[in-house]
Amino acid sequence: MKKMNVLGALLASSALVASAESSAAQDYGSFDGVTVEAKLIGGQQYEALYGRIAEWEAATGASVEIISKKSHFEIDKEIKSDMAAGTTDWCVGSNHSSFAPQYEGLYADLSDLVPAAEIAAFVPGNIGASTVGGELLMLPRAQFDVSVLYYLKSNYEDAERAAAFEAEYGYALAVPETWDQVRDQAIFFADPPNFYGTQYAGKDEAIVGRFYEMVVAEGGNYLDEDKRPIFNSEAGQRALQWFVDLYEAQAVPAGTISYVWDDLGQGFASGTVALNLDWPGWAGFFNDPDSSKAAGNVGVAIQPMGSVTRTGWSGHHGFSVTNDCANQDAAVSLVRFLTSEESQLAESSGGSLPTRSAVWEANVAAAQAGDDPFRAEALAAFVAGAEYAFAVPPVPEWGESTNIVFPELQAAIVGDKTVEQALNDAAEAVDELMRESGYY
């Protein structure tokens, strides 16, 4: 699995190119009386950016009507419904590198609509992952995602607790380096229903993505080179058993099988979860006393190892412009504004990772200056974690396959099926999907 050398890529970028692009991008055009309809992802870590839309409206004379704001899973279903019904004349849509291959024909090729110097200011790997079939289908926002480990520091500062753990498990209590250690510690820390060792998203693409990265960490994969499902392997069984063990031990909340990202964020911020694998956009929220009971007690570390490598499911969010948009120039202007250097500086200040080279440099410089120790710790963990980043299989059927697989994973977690049976049933159904899609 190829790793993404984020730090190397950003430091190799040309500051002169980024600076020139930033200056050139200040004029977003004039679109008096134009209304741009948008379908955007909603959720705590995404909302701050939308507050800047008023600045674009004031500068261009246009207005933005957000006609839908939902989780990406719900937005995805709505967009596919629009495509089936032929109602795709809205203009701007939230997109994601994992979802983009599914929307054939929906979005415009931005390489024809955005200056080349501006595109060059993004981290090349993010632009590559935004390109499908040779077309640049979205501009990345400051939401590059790879998950690392957030933890409550107080659990590692109690000598009596440390001695009890070592007596039970035979090794010293420390921030976990492996997923086996996460399981041990989560079970040890748990005191349901008042406190839980960890949690995980348990439905939709969220649980399948987590399972996928655990399979990779165990030395397996989701599909082979011919696009045949191979997750029903020994590596897959070890990966799924990890989820089962935690659920059976009541080390995770009983409702975890219905959780998605906002549930996890609020759960860790409640101060009642010891260990939490999560995205960078939550960092500022977790350590803000106005939003989090865990503030001041949050540590951040690189994601743990499986049997073979570290987990690293990753991707990034962005914005796309529909081919059917009646005011495409205005829509492109809005997307450029939302992904501009200034917007990425503002969005990444909350903890999310940028996708522009110059903004990465600014974040690294600020962290190195030492004015915010928590931000420095978090950024260092994410830079290290990004070295292990890998995307989902680049096939349009990824999303459809996750709808097949997640109920089977749930069935194993709650004990309705054995791990082996659930994975075999899921693989059989995905095999049928890939055969019908003509891969073999």
Coordinates of all heavy atoms in Angstrom, one line a residue, residues 148 239-240 282 382 409:
V148 N -6.1 9.6 13.7 CA -5.1 9.3 14.7 C -5.8 9.1 16.0 O -7.1 9.2 16.1 CB -4.0 10.3 14.8 CG1 -3.3 10.5 13.5 CG2 -4.5 11.6 15.3
A239 N -9.5 -8.7 11.9 CA -10.0 -7.3 12.0 C -11.4 -7.2 12.6 O -11.7 -6.4 13.5 CB -10.0 -6.7 10.6
L240 N -12.3 -8.0 12.1 CA -13.7 -7.9 12.5 C -13.8 -8.4 14.0 O -14.6 -7.9 14.8 CB -14.6 -8.7 11.6 CG -16.1 -8.8 12.0 CD1 -16.7 -7.3 12.2 CD2 -16.9 -9.5 10.9
W282 N -11.7 17.4 14.4 CA -12.2 17.4 15.8 C -11.2 18.0 16.8 O -11.6 18.2 18.0 CB -12.6 16.0 16.2 CG -13.9 15.5 15.6 CD1 -13.9 14.5 14.6 CD2 -15.2 15.9 15.9 NE1 -15.3 14.3 14.3 CE2 -16.1 15.1 15.0 CE3 -15.8 16.8 16.7 CZ2 -17.4 15.3 15.0 CZ3 -17.2 16.9 16.8 CH2 -18.0 16.2 15.9
F382 N -0.7 14.1 13.3 CA -1.3 13.9 12.0 C -0.3 13.9 10.8 O -0.5 13.1 9.8 CB -2.4 15.0 11.7 CG -3.7 14.7 12.5 CD1 -4.1 15.4 13.6 CD2 -4.5 13.7 12.0 CE1 -5.2 15.1 14.3 CE2 -5.7 13.4 12.7 CZ -6.1 14.1 13.8
L409 N -21.4 -6.8 8.9 CA -20.5 -6.5 10.0 C -21.3 -6.3 11.3 O -20.9 -6.8 12.4 CB -19.7 -5.2 9.7 CG -18.8 -5.2 8.5 CD1 -18.0 -3.9 8.4 CD2 -17.8 -6.4 8.5

